[in-house]
Amino acid sequence: MSHPQYSTPPAKQGRPWVLIVGSVLLLISLLLCAVGGFLGVAPIMDLADQPEQTAPQTVQLAQGDSRAVWSQTAGASCTVRGPDAAMVTDTSTGESSASWGGKSFERVMSFEADEAGDHTVSCTAPFVVGEDMSVGGIVMATFGSMLCCFAVVILAVGLVLWLSRRRRA
């Protein structure tokens, strides 16, 4: 009596989908980190290039434009007067600090132009008027970082599955 010999079926030779998905996710996450990082850092780079003002500075703004006042001196206070000489209110949401090019800045205040025209900024310490930090850029870079961690895990699993299939073949 002979017994039929069973052989294992050959390994399925398909595309390494998990590896491909992990690679695509990794590329997307790196792109998000790069774009978000640039959007978050660009305003700070501009601050470091500007000279600090000690006298009141006039800034031309359109209605709805917003700016932030930054200083290297902790505890500085600032005021902004609009085109009609009325005080402009501080729209800051929490403390913010940034460093670039050997300079460290703390946000003293943020403001939005209620009407177009010249806005006069004066402070008790040397200051720089510039853009506020980009919340969207920071969120994008953070999401990209989290996605990058997930993509590395998916990529590793896909690589292990792909290599184990190749060994069986």
Side-chain angles (χ1 to χ4, degrees):
M1 195 172 231
S2 79
H3 296 290
Q5 288 187 338
Y6 293 103
S7 63
T8 59
K12 182 179 173 185
Q13 294 292 335
R15 297 214 190 281
W17 288 111
V18 177
L19 185 63
I20 292 170
V21 168
S23 299
V24 169
L25 285 176
L26 185 62
L27 288 174
I28 291 170
S29 69
L30 292 175
L31 182 67
L32 286 173
C33 286
V35 171
F38 178 75
L39 290 176
V41 170
I44 304 307
M45 290 172 32
D46 291 340
L47 285 179
D49 293 340
Q50 292 183 21
E52 288 186 295
Q53 304 293 321
T54 52
Q57 180 182 7
T58 301
V59 181
Q60 177 75 28
L61 298 174
Q63 183 177 1
D65 283 352
S66 62
R67 293 290 184 270
V69 182
W70 300 83
S71 179
Q72 292 190 60
T73 306
S77 66
C78 298
T79 58
V80 178
R81 294 197 179 272
D84 58 358
M87 295 291 285
V88 177
T89 58
D90 184 2
T91 60
S92 298
T93 54
E95 294 180 13
S96 182
S97 61
S99 297
W100 189 265
K103 295 181 178 180
S104 292
F105 293 99
E106 291 191 28
R107 183 178 61 199
V108 178
M109 69 179 293
S110 295
F111 64 96
E112 185 175 318
D114 294 332
E115 56 185 283
D118 290 340
H119 290 70
T120 305
V121 180
S122 56
C123 294
T124 59
F127 66 96
V128 176
V129 177
E131 296 290 328
D132 209 349
M133 294 177 79
S134 169
V135 175
I138 293 169
V139 169
M140 186 184 295
T142 302
F143 178 73
S145 299
M146 291 187 298
L147 183 62
C148 184
C149 294
F150 178 70
V152 167
V153 171
I154 297 296
L155 190 65
V157 168
L159 187 62
V160 167
L161 290 174
W162 182 66
L163 289 175
S164 66
R165 284 184 188 151
R166 287 186 54 128
R167 279 199 190 125
R168 281 190 254 152

